[in-house]
Amino acid sequence: MKVSDIRNYFIDELKNENFTIDKTGQKTIEVIGASFLADEPSIFGTPNQEYVDKEILWYITQSNNINDIYGDDREPPQAWKYSANKYGEINSNYGKLIYSDKYYQQYGMAVDELTQNPDSRRASMIYQRPSIWMEYDENGKNDFICTNAVTYYIRNGKLDAVVQMRSNDVVFGYKNDYAWQRYVMAMIAQDLSGGNKFYTVGTLHWQVQNLHVYERHFDLVK
């Protein structure tokens, strides 16, 4: 399946009014166990490139505070405010999860693994953690990390990746997560290239336990 297939699925689900009601009483349309090639940067809507760039830079800083996203007086996006506690703290700074000493410098570990063994199946970066059960609502947070893990493969001179997600909002979540994962793939391909080796960014596989559209975004589907 490709993004176009996922798009058509949601269009049909909305036409058929196959709704699931979430904890807030809002209608959603969903796919459980979605798996497709992420061959487009958006399923519905247009990516906000200014915001995408800001979020990636914020991830690189490894700050766990959403008030640092823009670096100015602008309010953070509503989705992040919903996830944060009253201090602006969250769990899901993806840069911190893959770059920091606290989480074992997983980015560097994955690059080293692929450098030493290009055929490896171990080049994984694990975003989720068992302790999230104790941390997701800590001090008023509502942030149960959405990405479980990403694994990277070198095949036929290209760097492929498989993203595995617990939960993914089609409209905002997918676009921003896609941009981040493409960025990380490009950085890994660059770090692996050198001497007589050159790798290009290949296929991005997207696997989601629950892929969904909220009622407030049904107009985009229509």
Side-chain angles (χ1 to χ4, degrees):
M1 294 183 73
K2 298 182 179 180
V3 165
S4 59
D5 299 305
I6 295 296
R7 185 179 296 121
N8 289 331
Y9 173 88
F10 279 112
I11 291 169
D12 289 341
E13 288 293 279
L14 183 58
K15 285 180 180 177
N16 295 327
E17 298 186 356
N18 289 331
F19 303 132
T20 300
I21 308 301
D22 72 7
K23 63 183 179 182
T24 68
Q26 183 178 184
K27 293 176 182 176
T28 66
I29 43 180
E30 65 180 9
V31 183
I32 295 177
S35 183
F36 59 97
L37 298 181
D39 59 338
E40 297 183 45
S42 174
I43 300 173
F44 294 105
T46 302
N48 180 338
Q49 195 58 49
E50 180 193 7
Y51 175 74
V52 164
D53 294 342
K54 289 289 187 183
E55 186 172 87
I56 289 174
L57 288 173
W58 175 60
Y59 283 160
I60 292 169
T61 70
Q62 302 180 35
S63 168
N64 270 348
N65 197 299
I66 63 171
N67 295 310
D68 296 331
I69 293 175
Y70 285 117
D72 54 32
D73 294 334
R74 280 179 287 179
E75 288 284 313
Q78 191 61 43
W80 279 118
K81 291 170 74 173
Y82 178 76
S83 299
N85 62 24
K86 64 181 180 180
Y87 307 108
E89 297 167 336
I90 47 83
N91 300 316
S92 296
N93 183 300
Y94 285 172
K96 188 176 186 71
L97 296 179
I98 67 171
Y99 294 132
S100 71
D101 292 342
K102 181 176 181 179
Y103 299 113
Y104 306 101
Q105 300 181 2
Q106 295 188 85
Y107 178 93
M109 294 288 191
V111 171
D112 288 347
E113 175 65 24
L114 291 171
T115 300
Q116 296 165 17
N117 180 9
D119 297 323
S120 179
R121 297 185 291 269
R122 289 194 296 253
S124 294
M125 301 184 202
I126 300 164
Y127 288 59
Q128 191 56 277
R129 51 186 184 262
S131 60
I132 199 65
W133 282 106
M134 301 294 107
E135 298 165 357
Y136 81 93
D137 59 354
E138 184 178 44
N139 297 322
K141 294 177 189 173
N142 183 33
D143 188 14
F144 202 108
I145 298 167
C146 290
T147 301
N148 286 334
V150 185
T151 304
Y152 301 89
Y153 302 91
I154 296 173
R155 297 293 184 269
N156 302 313
K158 294 183 178 181
L159 180 74
D160 296 336
V162 180
V163 174
Q164 297 169 302
M165 303 199 70
R166 174 187 66 81
S167 178
N168 202 199
D169 159 41
V170 164
V171 175
F172 291 132
Y174 172 80
K175 288 195 288 279
N176 298 331
D177 291 336
Y178 172 93
W180 168 249
Q181 297 301 344
R182 280 294 186 188
Y183 168 80
V184 175
M185 288 178 76
M187 292 300 99
I188 294 174
Q190 178 178 296
D191 288 343
L192 289 172
S193 298
N196 60 351
K197 295 180 180 178
F198 179 76
Y199 298 104
T200 58
V201 173
T203 302
L204 180 56
H205 302 264
W206 210 262
Q207 299 177 346
V208 189
Q209 293 176 25
N210 190 292
L211 182 68
H212 49 270
V213 179
Y214 294 111
E215 185 175 3
R216 61 182 176 271
H217 296 138
F218 283 179
D219 285 346
L220 287 174
V221 179
K222 290 178 183 178

